[in-house]
Amino acid sequence: MPTVNWTGVRERTIALHARRNGSADAALPPVLSETQVRRAEEQFGVEFPGDYRAYLLRVSAGGRVRTLRPGPDGWHWDGDHPADLAHLHLPFPDHDTALAASEDVWLAEPREERYASAEDFRAAHETWREAADAAEDARTHGTVRLRDDGCGFSTVLVLGGPMRGAMWFDGRATCDRLNPLLNDDGQPAGFGEWYLDWLTREEALTTPELRRAASDRWHAGTDVPIWLRWFDS
């Protein structure tokens, strides 16, 4: 993944944030200190990918992404549940292998007619449901959900494993797939590529007319931004 130059990005982000919120006083979450980032990493048992780490230190703890902040129970991203943080330290699995394992569990769903009593069926089904949920959760081990994209979709950053540092789209609300968000070379984009592609495009969309025209191009498949390459193969 290419090296990202973060010089001036906080200032550009502040200007865009203020313009979009209609106020020069619109607040972008502050940056984090090196000590704060290290404490979060130690709590989660990970080292953040370099681009995301640089963003936290030089641009913001939030903004385009969910804000990372300390709380009474330690560090968390806004909107997290404790279960969301329990598997950050694990490697992100091979997608096809994890999908196949999940499908195997789903295909093994108990059938009521095979059980002697309703009570036996309910017990078996509860055990199966726990296994199915665990298999599905395992598909996003080693990732953090940085953005909620609506309708059950989300954008995640891979924290560990061979795909470490890549941005992926979780499209399981409508299909079985998680897909990498690809750069112009057809490779999985890193956090910095993903962010700066968004920022540069947003800076140019200064009127509703420009935004509508860009949206029309993107949804027609022309000059699609990285963040919108949801179902690229």
Side-chain angles (χ1 to χ4, degrees), residues 8-29 55 59 63-64 147 194-207 211 227:
V9 175
R10 176 167 171 81
E11 292 73 20
R12 291 169 60 190
T13 301
I14 288 172
L16 177 63
H17 196 73
R19 190 187 83 200
R20 294 183 66 179
N21 286 278
S23 170
D25 298 324
L28 180 72
Y55 179 86
V59 182
R64 170 71 172 163
R147 273 191 61 81
W194 172 85
Y195 184 79
L196 291 180
D197 180 75
W198 169 80
L199 178 62
T200 301
R201 292 170 185 273
E202 284 294 316
E203 288 174 321
L205 303 181
T206 55
T207 68
R211 184 169 295 280
W227 68 266

Side-chain angles (χ1 to χ4, degrees), residues 212-231:
R212 283 195 296 271
S215 180
D216 289 344
R217 290 197 308 273
W218 299 344
H219 287 91
T222 301
D223 192 32
V224 180
I226 291 174
W227 68 266
L228 193 55
R229 297 172 189 176
W230 291 348
F231 295 107

Side-chain angles (χ1 to χ4, degrees), residues 62-80:
R64 170 71 172 163
V65 297
R66 294 191 304 144
T67 302
L68 176 64
R69 65 174 85 241
D73 299 320
W75 287 87
H76 67 282
W77 286 269
D78 286 351
D80 269 333

